[in-house]
Amino acid sequence: MERNHHLHRQLANLRQSFFDQGYLDEQFIQLEELQDDANPNFVEEVVTLFYKDSARLIHSIDQALEKHPLDFAKLDSYMHQFKGSSSSIGAKKVKIECTQFGEYCRAGNVEGCKRTFQQLKREYAVLRKKLEAYFQFVRQIGPIETASRPN
Amino acid sequence: MMENSKTTAGFSSPRSDNFPAGLRVLVVDDDPTWLKILEKMLKKCSYEVTVCGLAREALNLLRERKDGFDIVISDVNMPDMDGFKLLEHVGLEMDLPVIMMSVDGETSRVMKGVQHGACDYLLKPIRMKELRNIWQHVLRKRMHEARDIGNHEMDQFDEVWMLNGTELLSGKKRKDFDNEKEISDSRCVDSSSMKKARVVWTVDLHQKFVKAVNQIGFDKAGPKKILDLMGVPWLTRENVASHLQKYRLYLTRLQKENEVKASFCGMKHPNVSSKENSPQNPVDVCADVINDKCSGVSGDKAIVQNGKANIYESKVKGVVSMPVAEPRSVVGDNFGSKTSLSDSFALINTDVKSLNVPTPYCFTGEAPQPQYKQDFKPRFPSCTQPTCSLNFVPSHEVRDRVSSKENKPSFFKSRSGVGKLSALEAIQPVSHQINFHALEQIPSTTWSMTSQNVDQNLVNGLQSSPGNLTLGSGSVVASLGEDASIQGECFPAYYGLRNIQQFDYSDPQTISGVPTCLYDTLRFDYEYPNDSLEGIVLDQGLFIV
């Protein structure tokens, strides 16, 4: 019991760190609030879906960035989609990179685009790792409902 | 289940007990993550959700299941079809409210969405609280539809406003209307982006329509023919078709109503001092109004009749009035002056255009109470001595502008004059009540606004000093002259009404001086089912041939 309590606290702290460090925004809380008996793992399902779906976009953008000259309109369009997706799980840092990328696109800044995209992919991957660890943790010690959810 | 409002006269669906629960929402987004989230959110709102990852698929779905959805939420950026394109199709083919969503809040894009007919533009990440509210678009749309249909179960404001605006405006209001008209014109003209722009059937336009129908022959008239005859370039066949449908409904209903023998009496007093009180027959005035000949009808003019109470029989086309009683004498006996009464009526009468409402209000000093309680059919015959029979027919023409400026002086004057008359005591409340009636029955905002004038003073006078009602018109008068009559805009007057009513009921003192039947009349009115009245009244106003 004591140990369980301790773990829950750890989980809560971990979760809180995502917000404190700017990885996630309130959208993630929205997802948590949607979780109910009908979908007890709703947040994880959504995050998983996001990573699965966005992989193709990342791939598309990667390919588009190889082209000469760059098709900025196309890149911008891709990034727009990616930004929309990122907003669905509240991937705050990723979203920031998306916005930056879009600006470089409109400015026709090739270097800026490429650099930002690398940064974007890093943030994307970091968040993925963090969230994966988090969900694993959740599965270990029980449903998130039992974890204290700071409001 | 829910039927599309296009096919139902009264959009019963959104009014069903559990509306907005069960609202049928189609979500279109190429982003599966958002689809999943939105689906969940909408379900939590108790909506019935269908999700679709492709715009074309969504379009097919919508075409297959016509009337299968109440509202569409669509992403702007989709690979297979631009969201705006989808929006256009949906607006054109299904006439459903569409909410656009995008992670991009750039003004130009939002603008584009709205120009293409989106009823709302949500920014991602979309919150549940935003989705909880989307039913309002469905309701609004149906209200507008009802407006077009002339159903009048709901807000009629816009249409009424337009009707007013066409020819009846004067002064400042005219300007407002012009603006409005410009807006609507541009909407209609810009057919590329606003194909589904709602046509405002102004009196003028409707007359063209009717003319065309008559020319072709009612039975043979089809949308295409009518459209050709009307010669209004921006009008579409669909516009005409829909209006034709409504027009037919309206005629059918009118026929039924005639069978009910709708008649009412109106009472007017001659004593109003204002010179504007031309001895015009109410019918004439009404006709004028209808025919757009009478621009800037001043309240007094329209109102003041030759001190006769008239009964109007409704006819499908046109209104026939016949004098039924001479309230003058009756009133005269009881009260030194009728001015106040007539004046307060004046306001209302001005607004009155359609003479179709089967709602006679009679009060007699000696009349037995339950007189009008049981039914609303014309009862005058039984009213042996109608002091005055009042009828208020809510009409479309009712203008807020009837308002004030014109009325004010005479209103004020006569009012104060009245104040001196002791007999007034009885009358005063009466007229208030009457006004109130009119209000109650008026479904449209315009009406409220009309009554607002009266109402306002009612509220003011009554609320602040109940005594006024019975004891003197002094303060009532004041409020009438000053603020009461100057309401330009329309507000839901019901609020005020309720208060008044309560007041009337709760304070027997107030009513003590009033003939009992008054009280009953009031009550009757309150109980009177709004629906039938509204329909009739407004219909009449809507489609005057």
Side-chain angles (χ1 to χ4, degrees), chain B residues 419-451:
Chain B
K420 295 167 194 149
L421 306 164
S422 57
L424 241 208
E425 292 170 20
I427 260 189
Q428 197 71 11
V430 171
S431 56
H432 281 310
Q433 241 110 16
I434 288 156
N435 296 338
F436 161 72
H437 291 319
L439 249 201
E440 263 294 34
Q441 293 152 7
I442 297 156
S444 76
T445 331
T446 315
W447 256 115
S448 333
M449 108 186 123
T450 306
S451 337

PDB file of all heavy atoms in Angstrom, chain B residues 419-451:
ATOM      1  N   GLY B 419     -55.005  61.782 -17.800  1.00  0.00           N
ATOM      2  CA  GLY B 419     -54.731  61.718 -16.374  1.00  0.00           C
ATOM      3  C   GLY B 419     -55.738  62.484 -15.547  1.00  0.00           C
ATOM      4  O   GLY B 419     -55.983  62.153 -14.394  1.00  0.00           O
ATOM      5  N   LYS B 420     -56.274  63.452 -16.156  1.00  0.00           N
ATOM      6  CA  LYS B 420     -57.191  64.273 -15.376  1.00  0.00           C
ATOM      7  C   LYS B 420     -58.542  63.614 -15.199  1.00  0.00           C
ATOM      8  O   LYS B 420     -59.326  63.996 -14.362  1.00  0.00           O
ATOM      9  CB  LYS B 420     -57.382  65.617 -16.074  1.00  0.00           C
ATOM     10  CG  LYS B 420     -56.115  66.434 -16.109  1.00  0.00           C
ATOM     11  CD  LYS B 420     -56.279  67.593 -17.064  1.00  0.00           C
ATOM     12  CE  LYS B 420     -54.934  68.201 -17.377  1.00  0.00           C
ATOM     13  NZ  LYS B 420     -54.921  68.755 -18.728  1.00  0.00           N
ATOM     14  N   LEU B 421     -58.785  62.712 -16.001  1.00  0.00           N
ATOM     15  CA  LEU B 421     -60.105  62.111 -15.946  1.00  0.00           C
ATOM     16  C   LEU B 421     -60.164  61.029 -14.901  1.00  0.00           C
ATOM     17  O   LEU B 421     -59.346  60.126 -14.887  1.00  0.00           O
ATOM     18  CB  LEU B 421     -60.442  61.528 -17.309  1.00  0.00           C
ATOM     19  CG  LEU B 421     -60.285  62.561 -18.412  1.00  0.00           C
ATOM     20  CD1 LEU B 421     -60.234  61.861 -19.734  1.00  0.00           C
ATOM     21  CD2 LEU B 421     -61.385  63.567 -18.349  1.00  0.00           C
ATOM     22  N   SER B 422     -61.128  61.163 -14.134  1.00  0.00           N
ATOM     23  CA  SER B 422     -61.218  60.189 -13.054  1.00  0.00           C
ATOM     24  C   SER B 422     -61.574  58.822 -13.602  1.00  0.00           C
ATOM     25  O   SER B 422     -61.120  57.798 -13.125  1.00  0.00           O
ATOM     26  CB  SER B 422     -62.280  60.636 -12.051  1.00  0.00           C
ATOM     27  OG  SER B 422     -63.513  60.802 -12.731  1.00  0.00           O
ATOM     28  N   ALA B 423     -62.380  58.860 -14.579  1.00  0.00           N
ATOM     29  CA  ALA B 423     -62.828  57.585 -15.121  1.00  0.00           C
ATOM     30  C   ALA B 423     -61.659  56.803 -15.692  1.00  0.00           C
ATOM     31  O   ALA B 423     -61.718  55.599 -15.878  1.00  0.00           O
ATOM     32  CB  ALA B 423     -63.858  57.817 -16.211  1.00  0.00           C
ATOM     33  N   LEU B 424     -60.696  57.532 -15.916  1.00  0.00           N
ATOM     34  CA  LEU B 424     -59.524  56.943 -16.522  1.00  0.00           C
ATOM     35  C   LEU B 424     -59.039  55.730 -15.786  1.00  0.00           C
ATOM     36  O   LEU B 424     -58.541  54.786 -16.343  1.00  0.00           O
ATOM     37  CB  LEU B 424     -58.411  57.956 -16.492  1.00  0.00           C
ATOM     38  CG  LEU B 424     -57.918  58.315 -17.845  1.00  0.00           C
ATOM     39  CD1 LEU B 424     -56.494  58.729 -17.714  1.00  0.00           C
ATOM     40  CD2 LEU B 424     -58.071  57.129 -18.759  1.00  0.00           C
ATOM     41  N   GLU B 425     -59.134  55.855 -14.581  1.00  0.00           N
ATOM     42  CA  GLU B 425     -58.613  54.805 -13.716  1.00  0.00           C
ATOM     43  C   GLU B 425     -58.914  53.433 -14.282  1.00  0.00           C
ATOM     44  O   GLU B 425     -58.069  52.567 -14.322  1.00  0.00           O
ATOM     45  CB  GLU B 425     -59.204  54.925 -12.323  1.00  0.00           C
ATOM     46  CG  GLU B 425     -58.726  56.164 -11.607  1.00  0.00           C
ATOM     47  CD  GLU B 425     -59.499  56.395 -10.354  1.00  0.00           C
ATOM     48  OE1 GLU B 425     -60.113  55.428  -9.870  1.00  0.00           O
ATOM     49  OE2 GLU B 425     -59.512  57.518  -9.877  1.00  0.00           O
ATOM     50  N   ALA B 426     -60.103  53.341 -14.648  1.00  0.00           N
ATOM     51  CA  ALA B 426     -60.487  52.036 -15.164  1.00  0.00           C
ATOM     52  C   ALA B 426     -59.849  51.779 -16.514  1.00  0.00           C
ATOM     53  O   ALA B 426     -59.331  50.719 -16.786  1.00  0.00           O
ATOM     54  CB  ALA B 426     -61.993  51.952 -15.282  1.00  0.00           C
ATOM     55  N   ILE B 427     -59.895  52.770 -17.254  1.00  0.00           N
ATOM     56  CA  ILE B 427     -59.442  52.572 -18.619  1.00  0.00           C
ATOM     57  C   ILE B 427     -57.955  52.347 -18.711  1.00  0.00           C
ATOM     58  O   ILE B 427     -57.475  51.520 -19.451  1.00  0.00           O
ATOM     59  CB  ILE B 427     -59.817  53.796 -19.455  1.00  0.00           C
ATOM     60  CG1 ILE B 427     -61.070  53.465 -20.247  1.00  0.00           C
ATOM     61  CG2 ILE B 427     -58.713  54.146 -20.409  1.00  0.00           C
ATOM     62  CD1 ILE B 427     -61.412  54.497 -21.246  1.00  0.00           C
ATOM     63  N   GLN B 428     -57.318  53.097 -17.962  1.00  0.00           N
ATOM     64  CA  GLN B 428     -55.880  53.061 -18.070  1.00  0.00           C
ATOM     65  C   GLN B 428     -55.326  51.644 -18.014  1.00  0.00           C
ATOM     66  O   GLN B 428     -54.611  51.232 -18.906  1.00  0.00           O
ATOM     67  CB  GLN B 428     -55.277  53.889 -16.947  1.00  0.00           C
ATOM     68  CG  GLN B 428     -53.847  54.252 -17.209  1.00  0.00           C
ATOM     69  CD  GLN B 428     -53.770  55.274 -18.318  1.00  0.00           C
ATOM     70  OE1 GLN B 428     -54.779  55.834 -18.714  1.00  0.00           O
ATOM     71  NE2 GLN B 428     -52.588  55.500 -18.809  1.00  0.00           N
ATOM     72  N   PRO B 429     -55.647  50.969 -17.017  1.00  0.00           N
ATOM     73  CA  PRO B 429     -55.110  49.608 -16.926  1.00  0.00           C
ATOM     74  C   PRO B 429     -55.565  48.799 -18.113  1.00  0.00           C
ATOM     75  O   PRO B 429     -54.854  47.965 -18.607  1.00  0.00           O
ATOM     76  CB  PRO B 429     -55.707  49.063 -15.640  1.00  0.00           C
ATOM     77  CG  PRO B 429     -56.443  50.173 -15.006  1.00  0.00           C
ATOM     78  CD  PRO B 429     -56.541  51.304 -15.939  1.00  0.00           C
ATOM     79  N   VAL B 430     -56.695  49.080 -18.510  1.00  0.00           N
ATOM     80  CA  VAL B 430     -57.212  48.320 -19.624  1.00  0.00           C
ATOM     81  C   VAL B 430     -56.287  48.412 -20.808  1.00  0.00           C
ATOM     82  O   VAL B 430     -55.862  47.424 -21.373  1.00  0.00           O
ATOM     83  CB  VAL B 430     -58.586  48.851 -20.041  1.00  0.00           C
ATOM     84  CG1 VAL B 430     -58.998  48.203 -21.327  1.00  0.00           C
ATOM     85  CG2 VAL B 430     -59.583  48.584 -18.943  1.00  0.00           C
ATOM     86  N   SER B 431     -56.000  49.600 -21.095  1.00  0.00           N
ATOM     87  CA  SER B 431     -55.181  49.746 -22.283  1.00  0.00           C
ATOM     88  C   SER B 431     -53.853  49.064 -22.085  1.00  0.00           C
ATOM     89  O   SER B 431     -53.300  48.469 -22.985  1.00  0.00           O
ATOM     90  CB  SER B 431     -54.988  51.218 -22.598  1.00  0.00           C
ATOM     91  OG  SER B 431     -54.433  51.858 -21.472  1.00  0.00           O
ATOM     92  N   HIS B 432     -53.416  49.139 -20.926  1.00  0.00           N
ATOM     93  CA  HIS B 432     -52.151  48.453 -20.668  1.00  0.00           C
ATOM     94  C   HIS B 432     -52.279  46.987 -20.939  1.00  0.00           C
ATOM     95  O   HIS B 432     -51.473  46.373 -21.590  1.00  0.00           O
ATOM     96  CB  HIS B 432     -51.740  48.645 -19.216  1.00  0.00           C
ATOM     97  CG  HIS B 432     -51.131  49.971 -19.011  1.00  0.00           C
ATOM     98  ND1 HIS B 432     -50.128  50.448 -19.799  1.00  0.00           N
ATOM     99  CD2 HIS B 432     -51.401  50.944 -18.121  1.00  0.00           C
ATOM    100  CE1 HIS B 432     -49.788  51.650 -19.404  1.00  0.00           C
ATOM    101  NE2 HIS B 432     -50.557  51.980 -18.381  1.00  0.00           N
ATOM    102  N   GLN B 433     -53.301  46.527 -20.431  1.00  0.00           N
ATOM    103  CA  GLN B 433     -53.485  45.113 -20.620  1.00  0.00           C
ATOM    104  C   GLN B 433     -53.521  44.768 -22.096  1.00  0.00           C
ATOM    105  O   GLN B 433     -52.967  43.803 -22.542  1.00  0.00           O
ATOM    106  CB  GLN B 433     -54.799  44.688 -20.005  1.00  0.00           C
ATOM    107  CG  GLN B 433     -54.574  43.678 -18.923  1.00  0.00           C
ATOM    108  CD  GLN B 433     -54.862  44.276 -17.601  1.00  0.00           C
ATOM    109  OE1 GLN B 433     -55.476  45.277 -17.539  1.00  0.00           O
ATOM    110  NE2 GLN B 433     -54.428  43.694 -16.539  1.00  0.00           N
ATOM    111  N   ILE B 434     -54.187  45.592 -22.740  1.00  0.00           N
ATOM    112  CA  ILE B 434     -54.312  45.329 -24.158  1.00  0.00           C
ATOM    113  C   ILE B 434     -52.954  45.282 -24.809  1.00  0.00           C
ATOM    114  O   ILE B 434     -52.612  44.373 -25.530  1.00  0.00           O
ATOM    115  CB  ILE B 434     -55.127  46.434 -24.808  1.00  0.00           C
ATOM    116  CG1 ILE B 434     -56.561  46.270 -24.372  1.00  0.00           C
ATOM    117  CG2 ILE B 434     -55.025  46.304 -26.303  1.00  0.00           C
ATOM    118  CD1 ILE B 434     -57.318  47.523 -24.442  1.00  0.00           C
ATOM    119  N   ASN B 435     -52.244  46.256 -24.479  1.00  0.00           N
ATOM    120  CA  ASN B 435     -50.919  46.273 -25.056  1.00  0.00           C
ATOM    121  C   ASN B 435     -50.227  44.974 -24.743  1.00  0.00           C
ATOM    122  O   ASN B 435     -49.602  44.370 -25.568  1.00  0.00           O
ATOM    123  CB  ASN B 435     -50.114  47.402 -24.450  1.00  0.00           C
ATOM    124  CG  ASN B 435     -50.738  48.712 -24.815  1.00  0.00           C
ATOM    125  OD1 ASN B 435     -51.465  48.778 -25.803  1.00  0.00           O
ATOM    126  ND2 ASN B 435     -50.489  49.728 -24.040  1.00  0.00           N
ATOM    127  N   PHE B 436     -50.428  44.691 -23.574  1.00  0.00           N
ATOM    128  CA  PHE B 436     -49.783  43.486 -23.130  1.00  0.00           C
ATOM    129  C   PHE B 436     -50.204  42.289 -23.982  1.00  0.00           C
ATOM    130  O   PHE B 436     -49.407  41.480 -24.387  1.00  0.00           O
ATOM    131  CB  PHE B 436     -50.164  43.242 -21.680  1.00  0.00           C
ATOM    132  CG  PHE B 436     -49.945  41.848 -21.277  1.00  0.00           C
ATOM    133  CD1 PHE B 436     -48.663  41.395 -21.116  1.00  0.00           C
ATOM    134  CD2 PHE B 436     -50.997  40.986 -21.129  1.00  0.00           C
ATOM    135  CE1 PHE B 436     -48.443  40.087 -20.763  1.00  0.00           C
ATOM    136  CE2 PHE B 436     -50.774  39.691 -20.781  1.00  0.00           C
ATOM    137  CZ  PHE B 436     -49.509  39.242 -20.585  1.00  0.00           C
ATOM    138  N   HIS B 437     -51.433  42.219 -24.233  1.00  0.00           N
ATOM    139  CA  HIS B 437     -51.917  41.115 -25.066  1.00  0.00           C
ATOM    140  C   HIS B 437     -51.143  41.047 -26.348  1.00  0.00           C
ATOM    141  O   HIS B 437     -50.633  40.048 -26.754  1.00  0.00           O
ATOM    142  CB  HIS B 437     -53.361  41.335 -25.471  1.00  0.00           C
ATOM    143  CG  HIS B 437     -54.264  41.215 -24.326  1.00  0.00           C
ATOM    144  ND1 HIS B 437     -54.118  40.265 -23.380  1.00  0.00           N
ATOM    145  CD2 HIS B 437     -55.347  41.938 -23.983  1.00  0.00           C
ATOM    146  CE1 HIS B 437     -55.081  40.405 -22.488  1.00  0.00           C
ATOM    147  NE2 HIS B 437     -55.826  41.411 -22.824  1.00  0.00           N
ATOM    148  N   ALA B 438     -51.166  42.165 -26.911  1.00  0.00           N
ATOM    149  CA  ALA B 438     -50.526  42.200 -28.213  1.00  0.00           C
ATOM    150  C   ALA B 438     -49.145  41.619 -28.083  1.00  0.00           C
ATOM    151  O   ALA B 438     -48.710  40.818 -28.883  1.00  0.00           O
ATOM    152  CB  ALA B 438     -50.441  43.632 -28.697  1.00  0.00           C
ATOM    153  N   LEU B 439     -48.548  42.017 -27.067  1.00  0.00           N
ATOM    154  CA  LEU B 439     -47.203  41.537 -26.851  1.00  0.00           C
ATOM    155  C   LEU B 439     -47.152  40.038 -26.756  1.00  0.00           C
ATOM    156  O   LEU B 439     -46.376  39.375 -27.406  1.00  0.00           O
ATOM    157  CB  LEU B 439     -46.694  42.090 -25.533  1.00  0.00           C
ATOM    158  CG  LEU B 439     -45.600  43.091 -25.693  1.00  0.00           C
ATOM    159  CD1 LEU B 439     -44.847  43.191 -24.414  1.00  0.00           C
ATOM    160  CD2 LEU B 439     -44.689  42.660 -26.814  1.00  0.00           C
ATOM    161  N   GLU B 440     -47.958  39.589 -25.921  1.00  0.00           N
ATOM    162  CA  GLU B 440     -47.914  38.171 -25.656  1.00  0.00           C
ATOM    163  C   GLU B 440     -48.034  37.350 -26.922  1.00  0.00           C
ATOM    164  O   GLU B 440     -47.412  36.334 -27.091  1.00  0.00           O
ATOM    165  CB  GLU B 440     -49.064  37.781 -24.718  1.00  0.00           C
ATOM    166  CG  GLU B 440     -48.685  37.677 -23.273  1.00  0.00           C
ATOM    167  CD  GLU B 440     -47.730  36.557 -23.021  1.00  0.00           C
ATOM    168  OE1 GLU B 440     -46.895  36.272 -23.882  1.00  0.00           O
ATOM    169  OE2 GLU B 440     -47.795  35.959 -21.971  1.00  0.00           O
ATOM    170  N   GLN B 441     -48.812  37.847 -27.778  1.00  0.00           N
ATOM    171  CA  GLN B 441     -49.072  37.029 -28.947  1.00  0.00           C
ATOM    172  C   GLN B 441     -48.029  37.199 -30.008  1.00  0.00           C
ATOM    173  O   GLN B 441     -47.957  36.445 -30.937  1.00  0.00           O
ATOM    174  CB  GLN B 441     -50.414  37.437 -29.548  1.00  0.00           C
ATOM    175  CG  GLN B 441     -51.516  37.098 -28.629  1.00  0.00           C
ATOM    176  CD  GLN B 441     -52.647  38.019 -28.844  1.00  0.00           C
ATOM    177  OE1 GLN B 441     -52.632  38.816 -29.755  1.00  0.00           O
ATOM    178  NE2 GLN B 441     -53.640  37.904 -28.007  1.00  0.00           N
ATOM    179  N   ILE B 442     -47.330  38.187 -29.839  1.00  0.00           N
ATOM    180  CA  ILE B 442     -46.387  38.444 -30.894  1.00  0.00           C
ATOM    181  C   ILE B 442     -45.189  37.576 -30.757  1.00  0.00           C
ATOM    182  O   ILE B 442     -44.487  37.639 -29.782  1.00  0.00           O
ATOM    183  CB  ILE B 442     -45.942  39.887 -30.834  1.00  0.00           C
ATOM    184  CG1 ILE B 442     -47.167  40.734 -31.070  1.00  0.00           C
ATOM    185  CG2 ILE B 442     -44.903  40.123 -31.878  1.00  0.00           C
ATOM    186  CD1 ILE B 442     -47.026  42.063 -30.494  1.00  0.00           C
ATOM    187  N   PRO B 443     -44.995  36.819 -31.700  1.00  0.00           N
ATOM    188  CA  PRO B 443     -43.904  35.876 -31.647  1.00  0.00           C
ATOM    189  C   PRO B 443     -42.600  36.489 -32.096  1.00  0.00           C
ATOM    190  O   PRO B 443     -41.545  36.001 -31.789  1.00  0.00           O
ATOM    191  CB  PRO B 443     -44.316  34.810 -32.640  1.00  0.00           C
ATOM    192  CG  PRO B 443     -45.209  35.526 -33.597  1.00  0.00           C
ATOM    193  CD  PRO B 443     -45.798  36.704 -32.903  1.00  0.00           C
ATOM    194  N   SER B 444     -42.676  37.463 -32.828  1.00  0.00           N
ATOM    195  CA  SER B 444     -41.446  37.931 -33.413  1.00  0.00           C
ATOM    196  C   SER B 444     -40.854  39.037 -32.586  1.00  0.00           C
ATOM    197  O   SER B 444     -41.523  39.708 -31.830  1.00  0.00           O
ATOM    198  CB  SER B 444     -41.702  38.460 -34.814  1.00  0.00           C
ATOM    199  OG  SER B 444     -42.305  39.723 -34.688  1.00  0.00           O
ATOM    200  N   THR B 445     -39.626  39.161 -32.805  1.00  0.00           N
ATOM    201  CA  THR B 445     -38.925  40.173 -32.068  1.00  0.00           C
ATOM    202  C   THR B 445     -39.463  41.537 -32.405  1.00  0.00           C
ATOM    203  O   THR B 445     -39.527  42.419 -31.591  1.00  0.00           O
ATOM    204  CB  THR B 445     -37.448  40.128 -32.432  1.00  0.00           C
ATOM    205  OG1 THR B 445     -37.144  38.805 -32.788  1.00  0.00           O
ATOM    206  CG2 THR B 445     -36.631  40.559 -31.265  1.00  0.00           C
ATOM    207  N   THR B 446     -39.797  41.646 -33.618  1.00  0.00           N
ATOM    208  CA  THR B 446     -40.301  42.922 -34.033  1.00  0.00           C
ATOM    209  C   THR B 446     -41.485  43.298 -33.202  1.00  0.00           C
ATOM    210  O   THR B 446     -41.632  44.421 -32.776  1.00  0.00           O
ATOM    211  CB  THR B 446     -40.738  42.839 -35.491  1.00  0.00           C
ATOM    212  OG1 THR B 446     -39.755  42.163 -36.192  1.00  0.00           O
ATOM    213  CG2 THR B 446     -40.954  44.214 -36.025  1.00  0.00           C
ATOM    214  N   TRP B 447     -42.266  42.317 -33.035  1.00  0.00           N
ATOM    215  CA  TRP B 447     -43.414  42.597 -32.241  1.00  0.00           C
ATOM    216  C   TRP B 447     -43.037  43.097 -30.891  1.00  0.00           C
ATOM    217  O   TRP B 447     -43.536  44.062 -30.397  1.00  0.00           O
ATOM    218  CB  TRP B 447     -44.240  41.338 -32.072  1.00  0.00           C
ATOM    219  CG  TRP B 447     -45.390  41.434 -32.948  1.00  0.00           C
ATOM    220  CD1 TRP B 447     -45.659  40.651 -34.002  1.00  0.00           C
ATOM    221  CD2 TRP B 447     -46.418  42.410 -32.900  1.00  0.00           C
ATOM    222  NE1 TRP B 447     -46.795  41.061 -34.603  1.00  0.00           N
ATOM    223  CE2 TRP B 447     -47.277  42.135 -33.947  1.00  0.00           C
ATOM    224  CE3 TRP B 447     -46.687  43.463 -32.053  1.00  0.00           C
ATOM    225  CZ2 TRP B 447     -48.405  42.878 -34.180  1.00  0.00           C
ATOM    226  CZ3 TRP B 447     -47.815  44.219 -32.293  1.00  0.00           C
ATOM    227  CH2 TRP B 447     -48.660  43.935 -33.356  1.00  0.00           C
ATOM    228  N   SER B 448     -42.189  42.361 -30.351  1.00  0.00           N
ATOM    229  CA  SER B 448     -41.830  42.746 -29.018  1.00  0.00           C
ATOM    230  C   SER B 448     -41.413  44.186 -29.033  1.00  0.00           C
ATOM    231  O   SER B 448     -41.698  44.949 -28.156  1.00  0.00           O
ATOM    232  CB  SER B 448     -40.673  41.914 -28.513  1.00  0.00           C
ATOM    233  OG  SER B 448     -40.680  40.704 -29.157  1.00  0.00           O
ATOM    234  N   MET B 449     -40.761  44.478 -30.074  1.00  0.00           N
ATOM    235  CA  MET B 449     -40.241  45.813 -30.064  1.00  0.00           C
ATOM    236  C   MET B 449     -41.368  46.795 -30.195  1.00  0.00           C
ATOM    237  O   MET B 449     -41.368  47.832 -29.570  1.00  0.00           O
ATOM    238  CB  MET B 449     -39.207  45.920 -31.169  1.00  0.00           C
ATOM    239  CG  MET B 449     -39.492  46.662 -32.344  1.00  0.00           C
ATOM    240  SD  MET B 449     -38.078  46.323 -33.375  1.00  0.00           S
ATOM    241  CE  MET B 449     -38.827  45.686 -34.756  1.00  0.00           C
ATOM    242  N   THR B 450     -42.321  46.425 -30.958  1.00  0.00           N
ATOM    243  CA  THR B 450     -43.454  47.305 -31.046  1.00  0.00           C
ATOM    244  C   THR B 450     -44.048  47.505 -29.687  1.00  0.00           C
ATOM    245  O   THR B 450     -44.269  48.601 -29.227  1.00  0.00           O
ATOM    246  CB  THR B 450     -44.541  46.657 -31.898  1.00  0.00           C
ATOM    247  OG1 THR B 450     -43.978  46.316 -33.109  1.00  0.00           O
ATOM    248  CG2 THR B 450     -45.694  47.597 -32.036  1.00  0.00           C
ATOM    249  N   SER B 451     -44.285  46.418 -29.125  1.00  0.00           N
ATOM    250  CA  SER B 451     -44.937  46.483 -27.855  1.00  0.00           C
ATOM    251  C   SER B 451     -44.011  47.084 -26.846  1.00  0.00           C
ATOM    252  O   SER B 451     -44.425  47.607 -25.859  1.00  0.00           O
ATOM    253  CB  SER B 451     -45.314  45.103 -27.407  1.00  0.00           C
ATOM    254  OG  SER B 451     -45.398  44.271 -28.496  1.00  0.00           O
TER     255      SER B 451
END
